[in-house]
Amino acid sequence: SRVKEKLDDAISRLKYVSEVLVEVSDPDTRQDYVVQQCLEALKVSVSDMTDLIACRDQMELFDEAYRASTSTKMKRHKRLVAHFLEEIKSGENDLVQQAPAVELNVVSLLEGVETVLAAITGGQTADPQANLARVSNRRGMPMQTGPDGQPVPGHHADPNATAAGGADGDATGMLGGGASAVEYYIEQEQQARHTFARFSAKLKAGHDLLKLTKPAQGGIEMSNTSALGAVGFRLGSGVHSFHVRIGANCSRLLVGFADWNLPLDGYCNSLKYQGCYYLHVGNGTLWAPDQGIERKPYTYEAIGMSQGSVLKAVVDTNNRTIGFVWNDVNLGVAFRNVTLTRTLYPAFEVFSNGCTFEFANPVGAED
C-alpha cells in the first residue's frame, strides 16, 4: 500500500539520520557541511513522522509480520537518536553550541517516532521527555542510561568519585582480589537487560536483538565486523556486567567494552581504535590500543572453542578496571586505568564466518 511505501521510505531516512548523528557527535572529526546535512535530514524525518501520524488509522491494517519487522527497525534507529539526545542533555556532546536547532529537531523527531511506533504496535504512546527527565535522580546525580534514554536500575553516578588503579593488565584477582572478590561483585553489580543497538550490516540480528550471527560466506575470513550493546556505563556509576553465550564457529571473536563511536566495518578496532578493550576468546589474549596492549596473554582457556560457554565481562567504573569470568571461573583483572571519559558499552569484534553469539541475560535482569 501507499502507506507502507511512505513508512519504508521514512525508516530509510531515519536510519541515515541515526548514522549521521553519530558522525557529528565527535568534535575532533566534525565538519560543518556534515552538520548542515544532518540538520536538513532531521527536518525531513520530522516531516516524515508528521505525515505518517496522519495515516495512523491505516496502519491498523498492517499484517503482523510487517508490524514486527518495521517496529524492530524503528526501535533500533530510535535508540541511536535517543542516545544522541541524552549525550546533549548530560553535557557530553557540545554540538548544541554550534547548531542549537539540531537538539530541537531531535526532540521533535523522537516524539514523532514514539507516536508512529505506538500506531504500528497498537501500544500506548510514550513520552520521550518523561524518559529523559528520569535520567537524573532527586539529588541531581546522573544515572546509568542506555541509548534509548532510559535509566538502568542501579546506583547513581557519584560526580565526586575518584578513580584508582595499579599497573595495567594485572591478571591477579577479579577486579582487585581473589575468589572472595567474585562473590562481592556478583552481589553488588547492577543487573540490566542487554540487547544489541549498533552493529554492522553484515551481521544478522535476531528479532529480539539478543543474538547476532556473521553469515558463513566461505573463503578466507578477511572482513572484521563490530557491534555494540544498548546499555552504557559511566565513570563513577558502580560495577556493571554483561553475559554473552558463545555459539559455534567463534574462534575469532573479541568481547569487551568500547565507546559509542566504535567503527562497525572495515577497521581493525582491536589494533587501531583507541576506545576499546577486548578479550580474544579464541586465544585468550588481550587487546587495548590506548594502552599499547596487543596479543597480551591473559588466559589459556579455549573459550571460543567451547560452544555454549558463557563469558561474563565486568567493568568497575569507580576503580576503572575490567575483568572476565568464564563459566563461573574467575579469570582475574584484565585492564586497569581504563579510560572512561566516554561512556563504555558492551562491544564485539567478529572475524569468524558463521559465528553466532548472544546476550545471556541473568534471570531478574531489568529493562
Side-chain angles (χ1 to χ4, degrees):
S1 70
R2 177 58 182 156
V3 177
K4 279 188 177 182
E5 291 179 6
K6 290 174 66 174
L7 183 55
D8 290 340
D9 289 343
I11 291 175
S12 295
R13 286 190 283 268
L14 179 61
K15 179 178 184 290
Y16 171 75
V17 166
S18 68
E19 292 172 344
V20 77
L21 284 174
V22 173
E23 185 175 347
V24 299
S25 292
D26 190 344
D28 295 332
T29 59
R30 183 184 301 152
Q31 299 183 60
D32 290 343
Y33 80 93
V34 179
V35 173
Q36 189 59 38
Q37 288 178 350
C38 175
L39 181 56
E40 294 304 318
L42 273 167
K43 292 177 180 178
V44 171
S45 273
V46 170
S47 179
D48 284 341
M49 296 305 138
T50 302
D51 290 344
L52 287 169
I53 289 170
C55 304
R56 279 180 293 183
D57 292 344
Q58 298 178 56
M59 294 181 190
E60 296 177 359
L61 303 176
F62 292 164
D63 60 84
E64 290 302 318
Y66 182 76
R67 286 174 184 268
S69 64
T70 301
S71 61
T72 296
K73 293 175 186 176
M74 288 196 75
K75 288 175 182 177
R76 184 185 308 158
H77 306 326
K78 173 198 156 195
R79 286 190 185 98
L80 299 185
V81 178
H83 172 80
F84 173 86
L85 182 58
E86 167 57 20
E87 283 195 333
I88 287 181
K89 296 290 186 182
S90 67
E92 291 183 55
N93 192 324
D94 64 352
L95 180 61
V96 67
Q97 299 176 17
Q98 178 180 344
V102 169
E103 180 182 3
L104 298 175
N105 280 276
V106 166
V107 171
S108 296
L109 177 58
L110 283 173
E111 291 174 346
V113 169
E114 287 284 354
T115 304
V116 173
L117 269 172
I120 294 171
T121 62
Q124 297 297 316
T125 304
D127 179 3
Q129 291 303 307
N131 292 340
L132 288 167
R134 292 201 297 269
V135 171
S136 296
N137 70 354
R138 60 175 175 266
R139 292 175 297 173
M141 293 194 295
M143 294 181 70
Q144 173 204 354
T145 59
D148 59 356
Q150 295 283 354
V152 176
H155 293 299
H156 299 280
D158 180 358
N160 299 313
T162 56
D168 64 271
D170 180 5
T172 58
M174 181 59 182
L175 302 180
S180 62
V182 177
E183 296 176 4
Y184 172 78
Y185 282 111
I186 288 177
E187 178 183 353
Q188 296 295 324
E189 68 191 351
Q190 322 295 322
Q191 294 289 1
R193 185 177 185 276
H194 294 277
T195 58
F196 292 101
R198 291 187 66 219
F199 47 88
S200 166
K202 298 174 184 176
L203 298 173
K204 305 302 179 184
H207 73 279
D208 53 6
L209 297 178
L210 290 175
K211 180 186 290 187
L212 288 180
T213 300
K214 184 176 182 183
Q217 299 173 352
I220 301 175
E221 297 173 331
M222 297 295 291
S223 172
N224 67 303
T225 54
S226 296
L228 286 170
V231 178
F233 314 113
R234 292 184 179 177
L235 176 65
S237 63
V239 181
H240 310 279
S241 67
F242 67 90
H243 298 70
V244 60
R245 182 175 291 107
I246 310 298
N249 306 311
C250 289
S251 61
R252 300 183 68 202
L253 169 68
L254 290 83
V255 178
F257 298 89
D259 67 45
W260 193 251
N261 293 323
L262 182 79
L264 300 181
D265 288 292
Y267 197 92
C268 194
N269 296 315
S270 52
L271 280 173
K272 301 176 182 178
Y273 188 66
Q274 296 294 306
C276 63
Y277 302 85
Y278 283 128
L279 165 63
H280 191 305
V281 302
N283 58 29
T285 57
L286 299 176
W287 302 72
D290 78 329
Q291 295 188 355
I293 295 176
E294 178 182 330
R295 298 185 180 89
K296 183 174 183 177
Y298 173 63
T299 176
Y300 295 104
E301 304 290 355
I303 299 169
M305 304 299 183
S306 304
Q307 184 175 348
S309 291
V310 175
L311 179 66
K312 175 181 176 181
V314 185
V315 57
D316 182 338
T317 66
N318 296 329
N319 294 310
R320 294 168 53 212
T321 54
I322 289 174
F324 298 91
V325 177
W326 175 61
N327 287 344
D328 296 324
V329 176
N330 170 20
L331 301 180
V333 172
F335 303 103
R336 296 187 186 274
N337 296 321
V338 171
T339 300
L340 277 156
T341 52
R342 289 181 174 176
T343 302
L344 293 182
Y345 296 81
F348 308 84
E349 187 166 12
V350 196
F351 289 87
S352 301
N353 292 334
C355 175
T356 296
F357 54 98
E358 64 182 326
F359 283 117
N361 290 307
V363 175
E366 301 183 42
D367 290 299

